[in-house]
Amino acid sequence: DKTPLDPGSLNTWLKNNHGYLEGTGSGGSYSYLLWPTISSLTKKVYDRGESTIKLMYQRLYPGGSTKHTVDTDVTTDIPDIFYVRNVLTAGHFVVAKGKTDTTYLINDPEWNYPDLSSFGNTYSQVDRFIPSHTDLSYIVAVINPDVEVSIASSSGEKIGKEIKDRVESSFSDIPNATYGFEAPISNPPDKDIPPVSLGTGVNVLYLPLPTDGTYTLTVSGNKNSFYTLNSALYQTDGTQTTETDHGTVGPQSKDIYTLNYRKESDSQIKQEVTFDSTIQDVQELYSLGYISKHIYRNLLSQIKSAKASAKHKNAHLVVPAKLAAFERVIKLFTPRFMTKFAYDELYSDAEQLKTTQ
């Protein structure tokens, strides 16, 4: 809208265009900058004829190929953003602008350090924006750090982590996709004021340039936890859709989401709900203290009865009736004996089960 672009106006634009995500989990809350949304802004500037390029976002983690990329970028005017730490801060961003034989020259917005040696010549991630004239499509999944998320393509390629029976498995089959922990941003120390971090940090999955198709997202953990899963889906032109889902997982269970992704139109993501997953939700919500023992056994008995009635010859009539009774109980005892969070999750489960009978 012709507003000069500076840190303040960029921040305002991001707040008004789904550039930040929020979530709550068993370990606390998180807030997160959704980096690819900046690509959407560059597309709008490009469409106005005020830029000759659009910018595509890319996340890199330390390694041999990353070092080669950064070495090339500092000689071709691509300003790589380093996430760094030192004794003064939990998390800090600097920008690479050159290279010596032993370190990278940087722009440091806080302490004005001249090079990366002040941060031990290390960084935990690299965020870069590179020219793209065509495709800004992306799949992003952001979740609380005490649980893990993975995504699998229809051909079985995976990126992310899964936990089963407290055993963790990592996957990196999808080219150029990344998964890792991003620590929370914190304010720099000011005189006697210590740094304050903005939440817990997140586990974040980035899948650039996805193809059309059906993907499976799996959420898992090594203890009973509730989570907020934020999914950001970008089309080729940078158009963004954000979906927020809440759930619970435990060492013996996982939540499955089906994502029907389309590069040129709206995509859809939906959790797979079964009687067994709903039984697990009741057990996990009780373990977390969101359901009182006064109604726990009642709810568990009702959902197990609904599952058993699925084998009845008139299941199409019996099951919906039993699920309706289950819903009446959670309505009656919320908020006295169960939290609003537990009510929302179990009522959603019951409604979805009705549609599958």
Side-chain angles (χ1 to χ4, degrees), residues 328-341:
R328 286 195 293 272
V329 171
I330 64 175
K331 286 181 178 179
L332 179 63
F333 292 106
T334 303
R336 186 178 179 188
F337 294 120
M338 60 190 302
T339 66
K340 179 65 163 54
F341 174 83

Side-chain angles (χ1 to χ4, degrees), residues 1-62:
D1 62 358
K2 296 291 187 179
T3 299
L5 187 61
D6 58 34
S9 60
L10 174 59
N11 185 52
T12 298
W13 187 90
L14 287 168
K15 289 192 289 185
N16 293 333
N17 290 273
H18 310 290
Y20 295 105
L21 301 174
E22 295 180 346
T24 301
S26 295
S29 300
Y30 66 77
S31 57
Y32 187 69
L33 166 63
L34 196 53
W35 295 83
T37 302
I38 295 174
S39 296
S40 300
L41 174 59
T42 70
K43 170 67 163 54
K44 294 180 182 297
V45 176
Y46 175 86
D47 288 344
R48 290 182 61 93
E50 296 173 357
S51 174
T52 59
I53 57 172
K54 296 169 284 185
L55 295 177
M56 176 185 173
Y57 170 72
Q58 186 179 37
R59 162 69 55 83
L60 301 175
Y61 289 107

Side-chain angles (χ1 to χ4, degrees), residues 70-83:
V70 174
D71 287 350
T72 302
D73 286 352
V74 296
T75 63
T76 56
D77 296 326
I78 293 178
D80 291 336
I81 304 167
F82 292 154
Y83 189 90

Side-chain angles (χ1 to χ4, degrees), residues 49-355:
E50 296 173 357
S51 174
T52 59
I53 57 172
K54 296 169 284 185
L55 295 177
M56 176 185 173
Y57 170 72
Q58 186 179 37
R59 162 69 55 83
L60 301 175
Y61 289 107
S65 60
T66 295
K67 184 180 185 305
H68 175 75
T69 298
V70 174
D71 287 350
T72 302
D73 286 352
V74 296
T75 63
T76 56
D77 296 326
I78 293 178
D80 291 336
I81 304 167
F82 292 154
Y83 189 90
V84 295
R85 297 185 183 192
N86 64 11
V87 295
L88 296 177
T89 183
H92 181 55
F93 292 105
V94 298
V95 178
K97 65 176 182 179
K99 188 178 185 298
T100 69
D101 291 339
T102 59
T103 191
Y104 292 104
L105 305 176
I106 60 172
N107 283 333
D108 181 349
E110 178 59 28
W111 295 286
N112 202 31
Y113 290 140
D115 58 56
L116 201 62
S117 64
S118 297
F119 300 97
N121 282 324
T122 61
Y123 51 84
S124 58
Q125 70 191 44
V126 177
D127 298 289
R128 61 198 294 260
F129 290 90
I130 55 179
S132 171
H133 288 285
T134 54
D135 196 343
L136 301 179
S137 60
Y138 237 107
I139 294 174
V140 183
V142 178
I143 203 164
N144 308 83
D146 52 346
V147 295
E148 305 289 351
V149 63
S150 68
I151 189 169
S153 66
S154 56
S155 62
E157 294 179 311
K158 287 185 178 183
I159 181 70
K161 291 182 179 180
E162 293 180 20
I163 298 176
K164 182 177 182 181
D165 297 327
R166 294 188 170 87
V167 177
E168 181 181 284
S169 300
S170 298
F171 307 96
S172 55
D173 306 331
I174 302 178
N176 300 316
T178 61
Y179 180 74
F181 171 71
E182 184 169 336
I185 300 172
S186 65
N187 66 296
D190 181 13
K191 296 181 181 179
D192 297 326
I193 302 175
V196 177
S197 296
L198 299 178
T200 60
V202 296
N203 286 331
V204 57
L205 184 155
Y206 282 113
L207 199 170
L209 306 177
T211 58
D212 284 2
T214 301
Y215 295 81
T216 301
L217 276 76
T218 302
V219 178
S220 56
N222 58 19
K223 62 180 180 180
N224 288 337
S225 306
F226 79 90
Y227 64 83
T228 301
L229 171 66
N230 279 292
S231 305
L233 312 172
Y234 296 83
Q235 298 176 26
T236 300
D237 64 358
T239 300
Q240 173 189 353
T241 302
T242 303
E243 175 79 21
T244 301
D245 294 281
H246 305 276
T248 58
V249 291
Q252 305 299 324
S253 68
K254 56 187 177 182
D255 282 354
I256 307 296
Y257 295 83
T258 299
L259 167 60
N260 293 313
Y261 178 78
R262 298 291 180 268
K263 294 171 73 77
E264 305 296 340
S265 59
D266 290 342
S267 301
Q268 294 182 329
I269 184 170
K270 185 176 182 181
Q271 184 178 0
E272 296 182 7
V273 176
T274 65
F275 281 111
D276 286 338
S277 70
T278 304
I279 290 170
Q280 290 170 346
D281 284 344
V282 173
Q283 294 170 332
E284 290 158 2
L285 289 165
Y286 171 68
S287 172
L288 291 165
Y290 300 127
I291 296 176
S292 167
K293 64 180 180 180
H294 293 86
I295 62 166
Y296 167 63
R297 294 189 181 280
N298 185 350
L299 290 173
L300 200 58
S301 175
Q302 289 213 30
I303 197 63
K304 287 182 176 180
S305 176
K307 176 186 176 181
S309 67
K311 299 179 181 179
H312 195 280
K313 65 178 181 179
N314 291 320
H316 65 289
L317 299 175
V318 179
V319 173
K322 287 185 175 290
L323 290 171
F326 178 76
E327 290 177 339
R328 286 195 293 272
V329 171
I330 64 175
K331 286 181 178 179
L332 179 63
F333 292 106
T334 303
R336 186 178 179 188
F337 294 120
M338 60 190 302
T339 66
K340 179 65 163 54
F341 174 83
Y343 169 87
D344 289 342
E345 182 166 357
L346 294 181
Y347 193 87
S348 175
D349 286 352
E351 286 295 293
Q352 190 163 332
L353 286 171
K354 285 181 182 179
T355 66

